[in-house]
C-alpha cells in the first residue's frame, strides 16, 4: 500500500466580499482571516498505482460544509470522517480529478463542520496533497490548490478558504481566485486564538442569496486593513463588517460584547484585543485570552504559520 497524510489548518474568515465567475478558478472572495493550528488531517491510502475499479455502493453520510445528508453514495475506496463512514462532496471531486477513486480517504478533525472553520475546503486541499503524494501524480502545489479551490467553489461551500489555508498565517485575499488568477498578501503576526461555537450557519444559503450589501461591507473592510495591516485593525474591521452585513447572530453578538466589556474593565485599548464572528458560522473568535477572561470556556490554538503541508506518518 502507498499512503500519505496532509495537514491543513482551519481558517476563520474575518470579513469578505463575494466574487462569482463562470470559471471556478476565477471565482472566489476578497477579504482576510486567520489560519489555525487546529485543523484537518487527511490520509489517503491505495494500492500502488491504484485506479478506480470496484464501483462499490456504500451507505454513507455526506457533509457539504453546512449540512449532513444520509443516503447511499457510489464510491470506490472507503471514505471516513472522524472514523465514521462519510464523504465530503469537495473531497470526492478532488479524488475524481486526480484519477484515484479507488483510494481510501480518511478525514479527521476536531473542528466542527459548518461553523466557520473552512473544514470542507481543508478536507479538499488535504485530499489533493495526500493523494498526489500517495499515488505519485506529479502535480505542483499551485495545481493542487487550484483543484481543491475549484471543487470547493463548485460545491458552493466556500470561496476563499482553500487559498488562505494553502498560504497559512494571517492571509489577506487581495484578488479572488485560484493560484495564477488570485493574489494574496498577509499580516506578519503570531498570536494565541480562542474560539467558541454555538452551531452551524449555512454557507450555501448566504452565498446563494443577494450578496450586494455584504460585498460592499467587505470591500470597505479590506481597504481599511490594507491601509493598516495589523491584527487590531483586522479584528475591529471584522466586527464592523458583521454589523454592516447583518450577519450577527444573538449568541455571537453577546459574546463579542462580553469580551469588549472585559477589555474595558481591564483598561485595554478598545481595538487591542476584542472578539469577532467567524464567517460563516455561529462562532466567535478572539485573540489572546479574551473569551477566557469574559467567562467562556473556549478552545484555544495559535495562528498557523506554515499553511497546508504533507506530514510524516
Amino acid at each position: 500500500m502507498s499512503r500519505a497524510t496532509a495537514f491543513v489548518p482551519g481558517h476563520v474568515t474575518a470579513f469578505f466580499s463575494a466574487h462569482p465567475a463562470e470559471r471556478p478558478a476565477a471565482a472566489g472572495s476578497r477579504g482576510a482571516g486567520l489560519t489555525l493550528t487546529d485543523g484537518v488531517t487527511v490520509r489517503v491510502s491505495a494500492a500502488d498505482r491504484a485506479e478506480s475499479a470496484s464501483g462499490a455502493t456504500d451507505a454513507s453520510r455526506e457533509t457539504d460544509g453546512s449540512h449532513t445528508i444520509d443516503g447511499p453514495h457510489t464510491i470506490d475506496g472507503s471514505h471516513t470522517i472522524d472514523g465514521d463512514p462519510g464523504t465530503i462532496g469537495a473531497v470526492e471531486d478532488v479524488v475524481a480529478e486526480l484519477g484515484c477513486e479507488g483510494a481510501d480517504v480518511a478525514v479527521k478533525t476536531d473542528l466542527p463542520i459548518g461553523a466557520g472553520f473552512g473544514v470542507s475546503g481543508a478536507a479538499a486541499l488535504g485530499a489533493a496533497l495526500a493523494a498526489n503524494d500517495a499515488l505519485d501524480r506529479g502535480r505542483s502545489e499551485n495545481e493542487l490548490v487550484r483543484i481543491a479551490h475549484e471543487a470547493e467553489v463548485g460545491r458552493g461551500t466556500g470561496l476563499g478558504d482553500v487559498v488562505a489555508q494553502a498560504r497559512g498565517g494571517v492571509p489577506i485575499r487581495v484578488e479572488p481566485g485560484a493560484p495564477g488568477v488570485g493574489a494574496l498578501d498577509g499580516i506578519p503576526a503570531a498570536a494565541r486564538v480562542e474560539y467558541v461555537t454555538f452551531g452551524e450557519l449555512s454557507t450555501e444559503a448566504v452565498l446563494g442569496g443577494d450578496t450586494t450589501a455584504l460585498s460592499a461591507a467587505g470591500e470597505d473592510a479590506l481597504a481599511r486593513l490594507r491601509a493598516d495591516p495589523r491584527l487590531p485593525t483586522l479584528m475591529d474591521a471584522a466586527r464592523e463588517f458583521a454589523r454592516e452585513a447583518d450577519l450577527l447572530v444573538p449568541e455571537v453578538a453577546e459574546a463579542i460584547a462580553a469580551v469588549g466589556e472585559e477589555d474595558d474593565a481591564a483598561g485595554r485599548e478598545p481595538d487591542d484585543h476584542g472578539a469577532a464572528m467567524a464567517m460563516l458560522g455561529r462562532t466567535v473568535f478572539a485573540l489572546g485570552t479574551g473569551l477566557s477572561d469574559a467567562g467562556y470556556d473556549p478552545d484555544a490554538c495559535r495562528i498557523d504559520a506554515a499553511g497546508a503541508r504533507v506530514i510524516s506518518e
Side-chain angles (χ1 to χ4, degrees):
M1 294 289 289
S2 296
R3 70 182 185 184
T5 302
F7 172 80
V8 181
H11 178 241
V12 289
T13 294
F15 57 82
F16 71 101
S17 57
H19 298 269
E22 186 173 342
R23 280 197 310 133
S29 64
R30 287 159 48 96
L34 309 173
T35 62
L36 309 176
T37 52
D38 286 354
V40 177
T41 301
V42 182
R43 173 181 286 178
V44 173
S45 307
D48 290 341
R49 306 292 181 183
E51 299 293 341
S52 172
S54 65
T57 300
D58 292 346
S60 62
R61 178 171 57 93
E62 181 174 358
T63 307
D64 263 351
S66 59
H67 61 270
T68 299
I69 304 172
D70 291 320
H73 298 275
T74 301
I75 54 177
D76 297 321
S78 69
H79 288 218
T80 61
I81 302 172
D82 293 332
D84 295 324
T87 180
I88 293 173
V91 171
E92 286 190 13
D93 296 344
V94 165
V95 168
E97 176 67 20
L98 291 172
C100 48
E101 294 94 331
D104 297 335
V105 181
V107 176
K108 292 186 178 181
T109 182
D110 292 327
L111 294 169
I113 296 174
F117 293 98
V119 171
S120 178
L125 181 53
L129 291 168
N132 180 71
D133 193 323
L135 285 92
D136 194 24
R137 289 302 190 239
R139 303 295 186 95
S140 71
E141 287 184 357
N142 279 354
E143 286 182 282
L144 296 170
V145 175
R146 176 190 58 77
I147 289 169
H149 173 81
E150 290 182 339
E152 177 86 326
V153 169
R155 290 283 177 164
T157 52
L159 289 172
D161 287 321
V162 169
V163 294
Q165 289 161 326
R167 183 190 186 280
V170 186
I172 301 173
R173 302 186 304 284
V174 177
E175 296 296 341
V181 181
L184 293 169
D185 201 346
I187 300 174
R192 170 187 166 95
V193 183
E194 294 186 340
Y195 58 89
V196 173
T197 297
F198 301 102
E200 298 181 4
L201 188 64
S202 173
T203 299
E204 294 102 324
V206 174
L207 295 182
D210 185 356
T211 60
T212 303
L214 178 155
S215 291
E219 289 294 317
D220 289 344
L222 180 59
R224 179 180 173 189
L225 182 64
R226 294 191 70 188
D228 182 24
R230 299 181 301 124
L231 287 178
T233 307
L234 181 144
M235 297 299 289
D236 198 48
R239 289 187 288 272
E240 186 173 351
F241 169 79
R243 292 190 296 268
E244 291 187 1
D246 196 25
L247 291 171
L248 272 177
V249 296
E251 308 96 314
V252 172
E254 181 180 342
I256 291 173
V259 172
E261 290 169 4
E262 184 61 32
D263 285 347
D264 290 343
R268 302 186 184 103
E269 292 296 323
D271 66 350
D272 193 29
H273 292 278
M277 180 178 174
M279 303 295 156
L280 292 158
R282 296 177 183 271
T283 294
V284 60
F285 67 97
L287 302 180
T289 57
L291 284 164
S292 297
D293 294 343
Y296 288 86
D297 183 23
D299 289 292
C301 60
R302 296 194 65 81
I303 291 172
D304 183 276
R309 61 234 184 227
V310 175
I311 60 176
S312 300
E313 289 285 335

